[in-house]
Amino acid sequence: MASILIAGAAGVSLPLVGGTLLPSNGGLMRGAKAFAAGVILATGFVHMLSGGSEALSDPCLPEFPWRKFPFPEFFAMVAALLTLLADFMITGYYERKQEQLMNQSVQSLGPAEFGSGLSSGFLRDQEDGGKLHIVGMRAHADHHRHSLSMGPEGFEALANRSGVAGHGHDHGDVGLDSGVRHVVVSQILEMGIVSHSIIIGISLGVSHSPCTIRPLLLALSFHQFFEGFALGGCVAEAKLTLRGSALMAFFFTITTPIGVAVGTAIASSYNSYSVVALVAEGVLDSLSAGILVYMALVDLIAADFLSKKMSVDFKLQIVSYCFLFLGAGMMSALAIWA
């Protein structure tokens, strides 16, 4: 428990600390983000989906219905579609909430300042290398994305900013690069990782043989470190408050040790080959796989690798692809032991 706790804490803390010391758009941070995306993709495909398939195809399960239909792949597909729906709905909720608060802030400036803000920024388009940017309240929300947190505190901080319409900004793209997207991505990603962490914690806790535990412990420690690094990178990019980032890191760090403790407590009565245990493990692993594969491909890899900055910087392309394949390869290699 101590080994896994330390490995998970180190992994999730490294990008959080590094994000405060290094520029977010620098080559090193871009490479770290690509490495994290590869880790998450390999976790979904190689660790979770294969684990779900193994559990739901176990001979201890009845032939009907478990061998008559590819349930692991079906559950992964359903999870990916539900993640898309949740992604859309949560992002829409956050954006509407932001817009309401920004409206309140603009109204509090008074008609004169509000008119000045409109003439200076709200209705003006800016060109950056031929690409049109949307400015105004949505761009202000993107500029102030460091104010966001998981709860209402971030929105209150955003609304309390002074001079919303009257000062200059560096306007970013509205869409996948907004602070709202990064907040949603980090929260959904943690949900997928945590459900898998519980399973591997319980699996380790119910093991009795030291010959099984010792190699598994080392592999799981590296597993937690890489998963923590990937999650920490997404949390750092979301620019949450200190409390929000600490809560997400803490929750990830303690999940697997809690799973180990639960597994140890029920080891005498737990049968890992019972129908209930196999079905629960297989369904949870398959659902987690769908969540992580969606998040890795849509919200991490596509968002970065299809961006304008990536398309015009050949050196950044080389570095990012190398780190992406390195992260996926190293996480896949761990499947030999865990």
Side-chain angles (χ1 to χ4, degrees):
M1 289 172 64
S3 175
I4 291 175
L5 183 71
I6 293 171
V12 76
S13 299
L14 193 59
L16 291 176
V17 175
T20 62
L21 303 176
L22 299 172
S24 59
N25 288 326
L28 187 58
M29 287 303 295
R30 287 269 181 170
K33 287 162 59 180
F35 181 87
V39 167
I40 293 171
L41 187 64
T43 301
F45 274 124
V46 180
H47 290 266
M48 296 186 180
L49 189 57
S50 63
S53 298
E54 183 179 350
L56 294 180
S57 61
D58 194 278
C60 296
L61 289 178
E63 185 173 350
F64 181 84
W66 302 108
R67 300 185 197 175
K68 301 295 184 181
F69 186 79
F71 281 103
E73 292 78 9
F74 173 75
F75 286 132
M77 179 194 70
V78 169
L81 294 176
L82 291 178
T83 304
L84 170 64
L85 180 61
D87 204 0
F88 173 77
M89 295 178 66
I90 296 172
T91 301
Y93 168 78
Y94 275 133
E95 287 180 343
R96 288 191 301 271
K97 189 75 173 176
Q98 272 187 298
E99 193 166 342
Q100 291 172 4
L101 291 170
M102 297 306 296
N103 275 324
Q104 294 172 6
S105 297
V106 171
Q107 290 171 5
S108 69
L109 295 174
E113 290 184 60
F114 180 64
S116 173
L118 284 177
S119 63
S120 65
F122 185 66
L123 296 177
R124 187 179 303 156
D125 292 333
Q126 298 178 344
E127 285 193 23
D128 180 15
K131 187 171 182 179
L132 205 62
H133 292 260
I134 301 172
V135 299
M137 278 185 284
R138 288 187 143 216
H140 281 289
D142 183 59
H143 177 74
H144 292 298
R145 61 180 173 262
H146 56 275
S147 302
L148 285 170
S149 70
M150 293 187 296
E153 296 87 359
F155 294 118
E156 291 173 4
L158 188 63
N160 291 330
R161 293 275 180 179
S162 60
V164 172
H167 58 279
H169 299 279
D170 286 329
H171 297 295
D173 296 343
V174 175
L176 285 176
D177 196 35
S178 69
V180 170
R181 295 293 307 124
H182 294 310
V183 173
V184 175
V185 166
S186 63
Q187 292 177 346
I188 296 178
L189 185 61
E190 174 143 13
M191 180 178 66
I193 290 177
V194 161
S195 61
H196 177 62
S197 297
I198 294 173
I199 295 171
I200 62 176
I202 292 176
S203 300
L204 180 61
V206 298
S207 300
H208 295 286
S209 172
C211 296
T212 302
I213 294 174
R214 285 170 185 162
L216 189 62
L217 178 61
L218 182 61
L220 287 180
S221 295
F222 279 104
H223 184 281
Q224 287 300 103
F225 178 84
F226 288 139
E227 276 191 354
F229 184 87
L231 178 62
C234 293
V235 174
E237 200 170 17
K239 305 295 183 184
L240 303 175
T241 61
L242 179 60
R243 189 182 71 170
S245 299
L247 281 174
M248 293 191 72
F250 175 76
F251 193 55
F252 164 78
T253 302
I254 66 170
T255 302
T256 303
I258 288 177
V260 175
V262 171
T264 304
I266 64 174
S268 58
S269 59
Y270 178 80
N271 180 10
S272 59
Y273 295 101
S274 68
V275 173
V276 174
L278 288 171
V279 170
E281 179 181 347
V283 171
L284 284 176
D285 267 345
S286 300
L287 292 175
S288 298
I291 293 172
L292 293 196
V293 168
Y294 171 88
M295 299 303 291
L297 292 176
V298 176
D299 285 325
L300 299 178
I301 295 176
D304 281 341
F305 284 75
L306 301 181
S307 67
K308 180 183 175 183
K309 182 175 177 63
M310 182 77 75
S311 65
V312 299
D313 192 336
F314 181 72
K315 181 180 178 181
L316 182 60
Q317 293 175 24
I318 297 296
V319 172
S320 297
Y321 274 104
C322 287
F323 274 99
L324 176 67
F325 288 122
L326 179 64
M330 292 181 69
M331 195 64 182
S332 298
L334 286 178
I336 299 173
W337 302 279

